[in-house]
Amino acid sequence: MTRLMLTLMIGLLAAACNGSGAGSDATAEKAAVTGTAMYRERIMLPPTAVFEATLEDISRQDVAATVLGKVRIDGPGPYEFSIPYDPVQIDERMSYSVRGRLSVDEQLMFTTDTNYPVLTRGAGNEVNLMLKRVANPTAADGGDAVTLENTYWALTHLGSEAIELTEHSQQPHLRLDATSSHAGGSGDCNRFSGGYALDGNTLTFGQLAMTMMACIEGMDVDNRLAAALSDTKTFTVEGRQLQLVDAGGTVVASFEVGEPAATE
C-alpha cells in the first residue's frame, strides 16, 4: 500500500510539473508587443514596400542593441504589428525599445528616430511608432547619395504642370547651401536668394529677394515658383527627384538633379 501511494504521488507530481511547463510555454507563445506605425507624408507607397519592427534590449549604450523579436510586413500598409518574444529574456532592471523602418526596393525611406520604450520601467506592451522621412536616401540608380542640400535641383513641374522652356530661357533651379542655410536659384527670368530652415523633413523658406528684370517671357514661372517656395512645408527626395509639398499635402513644385550652366 505504501509503495502504491508513493507511486501515485510521484505521478501526480510529474503531471503537475508538466502542466506548469505547458502553461509557461503558452505564456511565452502569447507574449507580444503590439503597435502601429505611420508617417505624416501623404505618399502612396508601391507594393514593393516592406515594413520591419524589432524589439530590442537597449540597456547598454556601449554595444549594439540586442534584438529579442522582429516582424516583417510586406506591402504599402497600413501597418499594425505584433512582435512575439520570450518573457524569460526580459529583465525588469533593463530597458527595451521598439524600432521601425520602412523600405522600398531595399532603399530605406522611413525610420524611427527616437526610442519607444516598452515592457519595463513603467512602459507597457503597446507602442505607436511615428516614422520619419529619410532626408538623404541613396539614389535609385545605384549612384552616390543625393541630398536635399548642396545639390543643383532643376525645376521640372510647378504643381502638375510641366515646365516648358523657350529658346531664350534659362534653367529654373534651386540650390540649398547647408553651411549657410542660404537658398538660391532662379526662375525663367529672375534670380532669387534668401534663407531657409530645415528640421527633419520640414522645410520652410524665409522672405526671398528677387531681381527685377522685366522679361518678355518667363515672368509667370518666376512668380509661380516664388509662390511655391513660400507655400512649402515639407519635402521628399526619391532617387534623383525632389518634391516640395505644402501644408495640405499637395506637391507644389518638382525638381530633378541637374547640371549648373557654365555661368552658374
Side-chain angles (χ1 to χ4, degrees):
M1 178 67 69
T2 301
R3 180 177 297 179
L4 178 61
M5 292 180 63
L6 180 60
T7 302
L8 290 173
M9 289 177 64
I10 293 174
L12 290 173
L13 180 61
C17 291
N18 290 336
S20 175
S24 299
D25 291 342
T27 302
E29 291 177 0
K30 292 180 180 179
V33 170
T34 61
T36 63
M38 63 177 297
Y39 49 88
R40 298 188 186 279
E41 293 80 0
R42 299 182 181 181
I43 301 174
M44 180 63 70
L45 296 177
T48 53
V50 175
F51 170 73
E52 296 173 293
T54 54
L55 172 62
E56 302 176 347
D57 182 343
I58 59 170
S59 304
R60 298 183 60 184
Q61 300 298 319
D62 56 337
V63 298
T66 301
V67 176
L68 304 180
K70 60 183 178 180
V71 65
R72 167 178 170 144
I73 302 175
D74 294 335
Y79 299 110
E80 297 183 3
F81 59 87
S82 178
I83 308 174
Y85 69 93
D86 183 356
V88 175
Q89 294 182 288
I90 304 303
D91 186 332
E92 290 295 330
R93 300 168 298 176
M94 302 303 179
S95 299
Y96 304 92
S97 178
V98 174
R99 181 169 61 91
R101 52 184 285 130
L102 179 56
S103 304
V104 174
D105 296 323
E106 299 185 353
Q107 176 181 318
L108 181 64
M109 292 189 65
F110 295 89
T111 186
T112 48
D113 64 351
T114 188
N115 287 332
Y116 288 86
V118 291
L119 300 180
T120 59
R121 303 179 185 273
N125 65 342
E126 296 183 6
V127 288
N128 296 306
L129 306 182
M130 178 57 68
L131 305 178
K132 298 296 182 69
R133 185 77 164 88
V134 176
N136 304 322
T138 303
D141 60 3
D144 295 334
V146 175
T147 63
L148 170 69
E149 298 172 300
N150 303 325
T151 297
Y152 183 96
W153 293 108
L155 181 68
T156 60
H157 292 76
L158 283 169
S160 60
E161 182 179 339
I163 299 300
E164 296 184 6
L165 301 180
T166 66
E167 180 181 355
H168 304 290
S169 295
Q170 62 179 339
Q171 173 63 64
H173 68 278
L174 172 68
R175 178 180 285 172
L176 307 182
D177 188 315
T179 303
S180 62
S181 294
H182 177 270
S186 72
D188 194 354
C189 176
N190 288 283
R191 301 183 64 83
F192 60 84
S193 63
Y196 70 91
L198 178 63
D199 181 10
N201 71 309
T202 300
L203 174 65
T204 56
F205 293 89
Q207 185 67 38
L208 298 177
M210 184 172 289
T211 58
M212 299 299 291
M213 295 178 58
C215 304
I216 298 177
E217 297 179 333
M219 293 297 293
D220 178 61
V221 172
D222 291 7
N223 294 334
R224 292 172 59 197
L225 177 56
L229 296 178
S230 178
D231 290 340
T232 296
K233 299 300 179 185
T234 63
F235 73 95
T236 63
V237 174
E238 297 184 14
R240 299 175 66 82
Q241 279 73 46
L242 163 67
Q243 291 184 330
L244 302 182
V245 183
D246 67 13
T250 300
V251 176
V252 293
S254 302
F255 302 79
E256 64 181 12
V257 176
E259 294 292 336
T263 56
E264 292 290 344

